[in-house]
Amino acid sequence: LETALKWPKGVINDWRRFKLESMEQENLSPAKKELLRQMSSPSRPKDDSRANLNRKMSVQEYELLKEEDEGCLKKYRRRCMQEMHDKLSFGPRFEGVHDLDSGEAFLEVIEKEHHSTVVVVHIFKIGVKGCEELNSCLDCLATEYPTVKFCRIDAVASGAAERFSDEFLPTLLVYKAGELLGNFLACTQHLNEEFFATDVEAFLNSYGLLPEKELPAVEDEEENDVE
């Protein structure tokens, strides 16, 4: 109780507004709805405006929150986290793995992509062990990391087939702002014989090459709660 009554006033006021907006979808009694309206629009007497602005959560409000609002409070907390995450998210977003068909396309991705974007390029060759599996792993990671640009290019199409011979494939190159951050030749030698997307993810993370993973959408979490 003591902790709840000492919530920062900005958080309390935001919570009141959130609860008022969502209460029409809940089975609240008319008396409690009226109480919420009063809490969301507190009166501000001229002679006590500062005290009212800084007022703490009342015991009456706390009891209402305690009795009815655990689910709503979880939704409110997730909404706050999502808003904060959105404010901190910069740069473009991508869908799927991008297929590059030439050395020129490869250079363009490296040189012209947004400076905050991590670019992961898989250089492969059909029939070389591990290349097909790595392509499948990157397809999965592309959905998990929409701010990372995952690309793949056939070694022959890259114009550098001599440099990337079969013994060096599959190769993963990681760039950011035009700078090469990771150069992993025959990268599957660092993985188990049978590997999955989570293994590739852990490998890249061990070098600090992937950003923080996206938070689940608020709507998706709410649906899971219902289930």
Side-chain angles (χ1 to χ4, degrees), residues 2-140:
E2 182 180 358
T3 301
L5 297 179
K6 290 184 178 180
W7 280 10
K9 62 179 182 296
V11 176
I12 294 175
N13 291 336
D14 190 46
W15 157 255
R16 289 167 180 150
R17 286 191 295 270
F18 178 83
K19 181 58 184 173
L20 181 63
E21 292 170 359
S22 61
M23 70 181 185
E24 295 301 334
Q25 303 175 12
E26 302 178 9
N27 297 321
L28 292 180
S29 66
K32 289 186 176 180
K33 288 185 179 181
E34 179 58 30
L35 173 60
L36 281 167
R37 289 193 180 92
Q38 293 175 10
M39 292 189 299
S40 63
S41 303
S43 58
R44 295 190 178 184
K46 293 182 180 180
D47 60 345
D48 195 29
S49 58
R50 181 179 295 274
N52 185 72
L53 183 63
N54 292 305
R55 75 183 181 89
K56 298 177 181 178
M57 179 180 287
S58 68
V59 174
Q60 193 176 22
E61 289 175 83
Y62 173 74
E63 289 300 328
L64 176 61
L65 183 153
K66 180 181 177 183
E67 292 175 7
E68 305 263 3
D69 297 330
E70 275 196 33
C72 190
L73 186 57
K74 288 181 181 178
K75 294 177 184 178
Y76 169 73
R77 184 167 57 247
R78 286 196 296 268
R79 192 199 69 173
C80 290
M81 292 176 64
Q82 186 67 48
E83 288 177 353
M84 181 173 65
H85 180 270
D86 292 342
K87 288 179 181 178
L88 296 176
S89 296
F90 302 99
R93 299 169 69 84
F94 308 95
E95 293 184 4
V97 179
H98 298 256
D99 291 297
L100 308 178
D101 56 8
S102 66
E104 290 74 17
F106 173 74
L107 291 175
E108 184 174 352
V109 164
I110 296 171
E111 296 173 356
K112 296 185 178 181
E113 195 50 68
H114 192 277
H115 65 85
S116 69
T117 298
V118 173
V119 180
V120 178
V121 182
H122 173 210
I123 300 178
F124 70 96
K125 188 176 180 181
I126 296 175
V128 173
K129 184 179 180 180
C131 288
E132 183 178 354
E133 292 84 351
L134 187 55
N135 272 332
S136 298
C137 291
L138 296 186
D139 286 332
C140 295

Side-chain angles (χ1 to χ4, degrees), residues 149-200:
K149 187 164 189 175
F150 290 93
C151 306
R152 58 186 163 224
I153 183 170
D154 187 283
V156 177
S158 71
E162 293 182 0
R163 179 182 176 187
F164 296 106
S165 58
D166 291 3
E167 63 183 304
F168 297 124
L169 299 179
T171 286
L172 277 180
L173 305 176
V174 184
Y175 297 86
K176 186 176 182 180
E179 180 182 355
L180 180 63
L181 302 181
N183 181 13
F184 306 106
L185 303 176
C187 61
T188 51
Q189 66 181 318
H190 304 289
L191 305 171
N192 294 326
E193 184 74 16
E194 186 179 16
F195 62 90
F196 304 92
T198 51
D199 301 311
V200 179

Side-chain angles (χ1 to χ4, degrees), residues 85 144-148 205 210-215:
H85 180 270
E144 297 285 335
Y145 295 89
T147 61
V148 176
N205 274 329
L210 293 177
E212 290 292 326
K213 188 175 290 188
E214 290 274 301
L215 286 171

